[in-house]
C-alpha cells in the first residue's frame, strides 16, 4: 500500500450524475493531481482461513483534469491508487469516527475487521 495521508485528497461536492448521493474525492497530489472521482458501492469479502479481506468498489470519474477518462479507467496503477486511497479513507473514518464516505457515517460498531487487500 502507498503512503497516503489526508493531505493527498479532499472531499468535494458531487456535481455529476454518477452516484449522486456521494461526495467526490479530489486528488490533491501526485501523478493524478486534480482528478475527481466518486466512489460508489464498496464491498469487503473476508477469507477467514487466511485472515485477509478483499475490498471491491465502483467509481466514476467526475473530472479527469488533463487526462483521458478511458486511459485512467484502464490504467492499473490508477485503479490500485484509488483502492489504496479508499482503504485509507475507510480506516481513517473508523479511527476518527468523523469522516463520511458518501452519505453514510462509518462507525466501529458495524465493522468487525479492517478491510485490506
Amino acid at each position: 500500500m502507498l503512503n497516503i495521508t489526508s493531505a493527498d485528497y479532499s472531499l468535494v461536492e458531487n456535481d455529476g450524475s454518477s452516484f449522486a448521493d456521494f461526495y467526490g474525492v479530489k486528488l490533491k497530489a501526485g501523478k493524478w493531481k486534480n482528478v475527481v472521482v466518486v466512489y460508489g458501492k464498496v464491498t469487503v469479502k473476508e477469507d477467514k482461513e487466511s485472515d485477509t479481506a478483499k475490498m471491491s468498489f465502483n467509481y466514476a470519474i467526475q473530472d479527469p483534469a488533463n487526462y483521458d477518462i478511458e486511459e485512467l479507467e484502464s490504467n492499473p496503477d490508477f485503479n490500485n491508487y484509488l483502492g489504496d486511497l479508499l482503504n485509507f479513507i475507510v480506516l481513517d473514518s473508523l479511527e476518527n469516527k468523523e469522516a463520511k464516505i458518501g452519505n453514510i457515517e462509518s462507525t466501529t460498531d458495524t465493522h468487525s475487521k479492517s478491510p485490506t487487500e
Side-chain angles (χ1 to χ4, degrees):
M1 187 160 107
L2 300 171
N3 188 20
I4 296 174
T5 70
S6 57
D8 294 327
Y9 72 95
S10 62
L11 298 179
V12 296
E13 290 292 322
N14 177 2
D15 58 8
S17 60
S18 298
F19 311 117
D21 292 337
F22 299 95
Y23 287 99
V25 177
K26 183 174 185 174
L27 309 180
K28 292 173 42 177
K31 182 176 181 177
W32 299 290
K33 184 176 180 179
N34 295 323
V35 171
V36 178
V37 298
V38 179
Y39 290 100
K41 182 179 180 179
V42 177
T43 58
V44 177
K45 293 184 181 181
E46 290 184 80
D47 182 346
K48 293 183 181 188
E49 288 183 20
S50 65
D51 196 32
T52 61
K54 181 175 182 174
M55 181 172 52
S56 300
F57 59 93
N58 295 335
Y59 71 88
I61 297 174
Q62 180 179 326
D63 182 351
N66 295 324
Y67 299 93
D68 178 76
I69 289 177
E70 290 179 10
E71 287 179 22
L72 287 173
E73 291 174 338
S74 65
N75 184 326
D77 291 335
F78 179 72
N79 285 291
N80 288 335
Y81 180 78
L82 292 183
D84 288 347
L85 177 61
L86 180 60
N87 189 53
F88 174 83
I89 293 170
V90 169
L91 292 176
D92 186 59
S93 175
L94 293 173
E95 289 174 12
N96 295 316
K97 298 181 186 178
E98 62 187 32
K100 285 186 178 182
I101 299 174
N103 59 2
I104 300 172
E105 287 190 49
S106 297
T107 64
T108 55
D109 296 337
T110 59
H111 301 281
S112 60
K113 190 173 203 173
S114 297
T116 59
E117 290 200 2

